[in-house]
Amino acid sequence: MKRNAKVSTAVIRRLPRYYRQLSELQEAGVVRISSSALGKSMGLTASQIRQDLFCFGGFGQQGYGYKVDSLKGEIGEILGINQGHTLVVLGAGNLGRALIKNFKFSSNGFQLLAAFDVDPKVVGTQIAGVPVYHMDRLEELLAVHRVDVGLLTVPMAAAQEAGDRLAAAGVKGLWNFTNYELNIPQDSGVVVESVHFSDSLLALSYMISQQEKAEKAPEEEPQ
Amino acid sequence: MKRNAKVSTAVIRRLPRYYRQLSELQEAGVVRISSSALGKSMGLTASQIRQDLFCFGGFGQQGYGYKVDSLKGEIGEILGINQGHTLVVLGAGNLGRALIKNFKFSSNGFQLLAAFDVDPKVVGTQIAGVPVYHMDRLEELLAVHRVDVGLLTVPMAAAQEAGDRLAAAGVKGLWNFTNYELNIPQDSGVVVESVHFSDSLLALSYMISQQEKAEKAPEEEPQ
């Protein structure tokens, strides 16, 4: 498959949405879908869909649309879903527990191996079948098991040290839920993806304010 | 303050990051910061910072930099942080509880009024001081209290109905954690902001795959 080396961040951010949408279509028994129907279901135009997918070699056939299962498979391949990625959770507090219990790691191609915490009440227990070890044993266990991603749900004050230890132990990525902006050198080869809840809520707050302004002064902002 | 009406989504998405960074600087006692220093701390160039802030009327002074507290105040104003927004949580399961207990709603200008659930074990209790009511009472309570945002942490299968009920009850925004793509008509005036954990993990998975490819074939991808 030909792939364009330069893919914009916006396209990369849309790929997981395609994957999710195609999974839902597949579950609903849809075999084939046109770019306009796929676009409509995702709030995108047909031409945007065609452009996005063209970046990755173009999978559609003119006048035929996309085969849902093969498009899903190809996008999954691009996303690295079949790479057998492994993951550990650092911090088995409320959020860590919620993710361990509810998040479908395996649907996203990740095997959740273990969790780490310092609280004697949870160390040594299991959460939804996942063993919880003491943080002191992190390096020891990561020396034995290949771990690709560390999910950080430790308190903000412990975030940087946890990230540094994971990076030193050889993880390839950090999935950061701590609301702390991790400082990991770019040349370390460790990729950081942060989920900042407050950024999301503030963006919503902004959109609501804009909406209210538009409603108050419709003549100024016709849209 | 002059504000440019057309602001790109990318800039809007960066505004909460500015706000977060400025809050941290303020806590650290920093009074004034240059655009280059602010940029460096956020992984952006000085010119990108100046451009972004110019969209909102431009706050800096040539050769002087930005006053941290007033810039934070102005960005907070744009983000609607002082609007007295109110919020309810629908779904007091693991994730809902984790957010109620840990997320700093008030730092983001939101007052968390109540949670709703159907589980008799949690209905009638309090989580971190927040009362949990039965979902049957949603409309009744929203008729009495102005609620701006509904946070959805219900199961995926209950997401659409919960969103529809909140929209009908007059909320202005939905903060959607259900991993379900809500279908809310654009002309309803209700804004939807979704936090899709799997999109984030798959983006990380993609970046890791790209990184591995680059390491395997450095001569092909020099960066």
Side-chain angles (χ1 to χ4, degrees), chain B residues 4-194:
Chain B
N4 194 322
K6 289 266 177 196
V7 178
S8 79
T9 311
V11 177
I12 293 165
R13 291 282 153 190
R14 276 200 290 274
L15 276 183
R17 287 183 58 205
Y18 285 115
Y19 188 79
R20 185 153 42 80
Q21 190 65 29
L22 290 162
S23 303
E24 282 175 26
L25 289 167
Q26 196 180 36
E27 275 172 41
V30 177
V31 173
R32 199 189 297 169
I33 191 161
S34 67
S35 39
S36 58
L38 182 58
K40 206 180 165 194
S41 69
M42 293 179 63
L44 299 169
T45 65
S47 91
Q48 209 167 4
I49 299 252
R50 284 191 293 265
Q51 261 179 39
D52 281 1
L53 300 181
F54 184 75
C55 288
F56 295 97
F59 314 100
Q61 261 178 275
Q62 196 73 37
Y64 178 91
Y66 299 97
K67 278 185 75 180
V68 171
D69 60 350
S70 62
L71 181 56
K72 184 193 161 191
E74 302 232 40
I75 292 179
E77 194 62 44
I78 293 167
L79 290 171
I81 273 176
N82 306 311
Q83 301 285 307
H85 287 145
T86 54
L87 182 145
V88 294
V89 174
L90 267 61
N94 291 310
L95 181 58
R97 297 181 84 84
L99 288 167
I100 292 168
K101 284 183 179 173
N102 296 128
F103 185 73
K104 297 197 180 73
F105 290 96
S106 60
S107 307
N108 296 289
F110 280 81
Q111 191 192 351
L112 172 53
L113 298 179
F116 293 86
D117 204 296
V118 292
D119 183 350
K121 282 200 290 290
V122 293
V123 170
T125 67
Q126 292 204 341
I127 303 169
V130 175
V132 184
Y133 300 106
H134 195 282
M135 273 293 288
D136 288 348
R137 297 189 60 195
L138 183 69
E139 286 77 8
E140 174 198 336
L141 283 146
L142 265 65
V144 183
H145 298 283
R146 182 183 58 84
V147 172
D148 297 307
V149 167
L151 191 171
L152 293 179
T153 41
V154 295
M156 218 167 157
Q160 185 63 48
E161 196 201 329
D164 288 337
R165 284 176 66 183
L166 284 163
V171 303
K172 295 165 196 157
L174 297 173
W175 198 20
N176 174 28
F177 281 76
T178 64
N179 209 33
Y180 179 84
E181 201 84 48
L182 290 173
N183 183 15
I184 306 287
Q186 285 212 315
D187 59 10
S188 67
V190 178
V191 190
V192 179
E193 164 75 10
S194 295

Side-chain angles (χ1 to χ4, degrees), chain A residues 3 7 12-13 15-17 19-20 24 56 78-81 83 85 87 94-95 98-99 101-103 105 108 110 148-149 156 172-175 177 179 181 189 191-193 195-209 211-213 215, chain B residues 3 7 12-13 15-17 19-20 24 56 78-81 83 85 87 94-95 98-99 101-103 105 108 110 148-149 156 172-175 177 179 181 189 191-193 195-209 211-213 215:
Chain A
R3 283 177 204 167
V7 179
I12 293 165
R13 290 282 154 192
L15 275 183
R17 288 183 57 205
Y19 188 79
R20 184 153 42 81
E24 282 175 26
F56 295 96
I78 293 167
L79 290 171
I81 274 177
Q83 301 284 309
H85 286 144
L87 182 144
N94 291 311
L95 181 58
L99 288 168
K101 283 183 180 172
N102 296 128
F103 184 72
F105 291 96
N108 296 288
F110 279 81
D148 297 307
V149 167
M156 219 165 156
K172 297 166 194 157
L174 298 173
W175 198 21
F177 281 77
N179 209 33
E181 201 85 47
V191 190
V192 179
E193 164 75 10
V195 177
H196 285 295
F197 293 153
S198 65
D199 288 9
S200 173
L201 183 57
L202 288 179
L204 180 60
S205 176
Y206 173 83
M207 291 186 282
I208 290 172
S209 300
Q211 182 80 23
E212 285 171 345
K213 265 167 59 181
E215 279 165 12
Chain B
R3 283 178 205 167
V7 178
I12 293 165
R13 291 282 153 190
L15 276 183
R17 287 183 58 205
Y19 188 79
R20 185 153 42 80
E24 282 175 26
F56 295 97
I78 293 167
L79 290 171
I81 273 176
Q83 301 285 307
H85 287 145
L87 182 145
N94 291 310
L95 181 58
L99 288 167
K101 284 183 179 173
N102 296 128
F103 185 73
F105 290 96
N108 296 289
F110 280 81
D148 297 307
V149 167
M156 218 167 157
K172 295 165 196 157
L174 297 173
W175 198 20
F177 281 76
N179 209 33
E181 201 84 48
V191 190
V192 179
E193 164 75 10
V195 177
H196 284 295
F197 294 152
S198 64
D199 288 8
S200 173
L201 183 57
L202 289 179
L204 180 60
S205 175
Y206 173 82
M207 291 186 284
I208 290 172
S209 300
Q211 182 81 22
E212 286 171 344
K213 265 167 59 180
E215 280 165 11

Side-chain angles (χ1 to χ4, degrees), chain A residues 88-97 99 115-119 135 138 150-166 174-180 182, chain B residues 102:
Chain A
V88 294
V89 174
L90 267 62
N94 291 311
L95 181 58
R97 296 182 83 83
L99 288 168
F116 293 86
D117 204 294
V118 291
D119 183 349
M135 273 293 288
L138 183 70
L151 190 171
L152 292 179
T153 41
V154 294
M156 219 165 156
Q160 184 64 49
E161 196 201 330
D164 287 338
R165 284 177 64 183
L166 284 163
L174 298 173
W175 198 21
N176 174 27
F177 281 77
T178 64
N179 209 33
Y180 180 84
L182 289 173
Chain B
N102 296 128

Side-chain angles (χ1 to χ4, degrees), chain A residues 2-221:
Chain A
K2 275 186 303 173
R3 283 177 204 167
N4 193 321
K6 289 265 178 198
V7 179
S8 79
T9 311
V11 177
I12 293 165
R13 290 282 154 192
R14 277 200 289 275
L15 275 183
R17 288 183 57 205
Y18 285 115
Y19 188 79
R20 184 153 42 81
Q21 190 65 30
L22 289 163
S23 303
E24 282 175 26
L25 288 167
Q26 196 180 36
E27 273 171 43
V30 177
V31 173
R32 197 189 299 169
I33 191 162
S34 67
S35 39
S36 58
L38 181 58
K40 205 178 166 195
S41 70
M42 293 179 63
L44 300 169
T45 65
S47 91
Q48 209 166 4
I49 298 253
R50 283 191 294 264
Q51 262 179 39
D52 281 1
L53 300 181
F54 184 75
C55 288
F56 295 96
F59 314 101
Q61 260 178 274
Q62 195 73 36
Y64 179 91
Y66 298 97
K67 277 185 77 179
V68 170
D69 59 352
S70 62
L71 182 56
K72 184 193 161 192
E74 303 232 40
I75 292 179
E77 193 63 42
I78 293 167
L79 290 171
I81 274 177
N82 306 312
Q83 301 284 309
H85 286 144
T86 54
L87 182 144
V88 294
V89 174
L90 267 62
N94 291 311
L95 181 58
R97 296 182 83 83
L99 288 168
I100 292 169
K101 283 183 180 172
N102 296 128
F103 184 72
K104 297 198 179 72
F105 291 96
S106 60
S107 309
N108 296 288
F110 279 81
Q111 191 192 349
L112 172 52
L113 298 180
F116 293 86
D117 204 294
V118 291
D119 183 349
K121 281 202 290 292
V122 293
V123 171
T125 67
Q126 292 205 340
I127 302 168
V130 175
V132 184
Y133 299 106
H134 195 281
M135 273 293 288
D136 288 347
R137 298 190 59 196
L138 183 70
E139 285 77 7
E140 173 198 335
L141 283 146
L142 265 65
V144 182
H145 299 282
R146 182 182 59 83
V147 172
D148 297 307
V149 167
L151 190 171
L152 292 179
T153 41
V154 294
M156 219 165 156
Q160 184 64 49
E161 196 201 330
D164 287 338
R165 284 177 64 183
L166 284 163
V171 303
K172 297 166 194 157
L174 298 173
W175 198 21
N176 174 27
F177 281 77
T178 64
N179 209 33
Y180 180 84
E181 201 85 47
L182 289 173
N183 183 14
I184 305 287
Q186 284 211 316
D187 60 11
S188 67
V190 177
V191 190
V192 179
E193 164 75 10
S194 295
V195 177
H196 285 295
F197 293 153
S198 65
D199 288 9
S200 173
L201 183 57
L202 288 179
L204 180 60
S205 176
Y206 173 83
M207 291 186 282
I208 290 172
S209 300
Q210 292 301 304
Q211 182 80 23
E212 285 171 345
K213 265 167 59 181
E215 279 165 12
K216 273 181 204 151
E219 68 282 0
E220 281 176 49
E221 295 186 63

